Amino acid sequence: MSKNILLIQGHPDVQEHHLCNELERSYARGATDAGHEIRHINVAAIDFPLLRSQQEWEHGLLPVNLKPAQDDIHWAEHIVLFFPLWLGDMPAVLKGFLEQIARPDFAFTSDGKNPFAQKGLTGRSARVVVTMGMPALVYRWYFRAHSLKSLERNILGFVGIAPINETLIGNVGNMDEKTAQKWFAKMQKLGADGD
């Protein structure tokens, strides 16, 4: 059964070709070949301001150039985020994007007593694909994947997205072509499976 799949590219550099871009392309190729509908968001290519207050987040207007991104998220049944681990977390531009997008009355709604009563993005699943210079096992077990768990629990899960799967790709600075091709093939298969 085909799915509506949204691919969100969170690499902050739009000038150069990066591993995250090829992973996204491989996923898209597999998904398209399997008959899934695909849309793309390249976060770094969107000009938007950072939020600077709770008041602005709760009551300010969504920047007009982010409305298509909200529409794409609303359309999606499955969301795949691609980003490199920077200073132990997602790049700032991706965090800023998620803060802008996940506003009240879109990502969740209130019932007056409980400000987070209704999760606005239920019915969607996600996969998070993270590249990093360190071995993925070190990030997962020594650092306990703290930033990834925060993204999954405090952002994606908070708004109702579930289940959330992850793909951690380590040692990217020393990755040879054979290993890269294995990851591209894995992404293509995940895309075909709509996972």
Side-chain angles (χ1 to χ4, degrees), residues 7-143:
L7 306 180
I8 300 177
Q9 180 56 251
H11 198 294
D13 184 0
V14 294
Q15 303 301 316
E16 298 289 330
H17 178 78
H18 296 280
L19 178 62
C20 286
N21 303 117
E22 191 55 43
L23 293 166
E24 179 188 2
R25 277 193 273 282
S26 297
Y27 187 101
R29 191 169 27 257
T32 302
D33 290 349
H36 301 295
E37 294 292 322
I38 299 292
R39 291 187 185 175
H40 299 266
I41 296 174
N42 185 346
V43 173
I46 305 170
D47 185 27
F48 61 89
L50 296 178
L51 287 169
R52 299 191 179 271
S53 71
Q54 181 177 344
Q55 176 72 15
E56 185 181 355
W57 180 67
E58 290 177 348
H59 304 291
L61 296 176
L62 178 75
V64 68
N65 52 354
L66 288 176
K67 179 67 170 101
Q70 276 193 341
D71 293 342
D72 287 343
I73 290 168
H74 183 71
W75 166 86
E77 297 171 277
H78 185 64
I79 300 168
V80 186
L81 290 99
F82 300 85
F83 62 87
L85 193 69
W86 279 23
L87 294 175
D89 206 343
M90 71 181 89
V93 69
L94 180 57
K95 178 73 163 54
F97 170 82
L98 293 172
E99 287 174 355
Q100 281 282 14
I101 293 297
R103 288 173 177 252
D105 298 323
F106 174 73
F108 59 90
T109 55
S110 153
D111 70 356
K113 297 175 190 164
N114 180 351
F116 310 114
Q118 180 75 31
K119 296 180 179 205
L121 298 176
T122 56
R124 289 159 186 81
S125 57
R127 175 166 293 278
V128 181
V129 180
V130 185
T131 63
M132 62 195 72
M134 74 178 86
L137 286 174
V138 171
Y139 175 68
R140 184 180 298 280
W141 299 111
Y142 182 77
F143 292 105

Side-chain angles (χ1 to χ4, degrees), residues 85 88 132 134-153 166 168:
L85 193 69
M132 62 195 72
M134 74 178 86
L137 286 174
V138 171
Y139 175 68
R140 184 180 298 280
W141 299 111
Y142 182 77
F143 292 105
R144 302 195 185 275
H146 69 284
S147 60
L148 178 61
K149 296 303 176 197
S150 177
L151 169 63
E152 292 174 352
R153 180 185 58 244
E166 56 200 40
L168 303 180

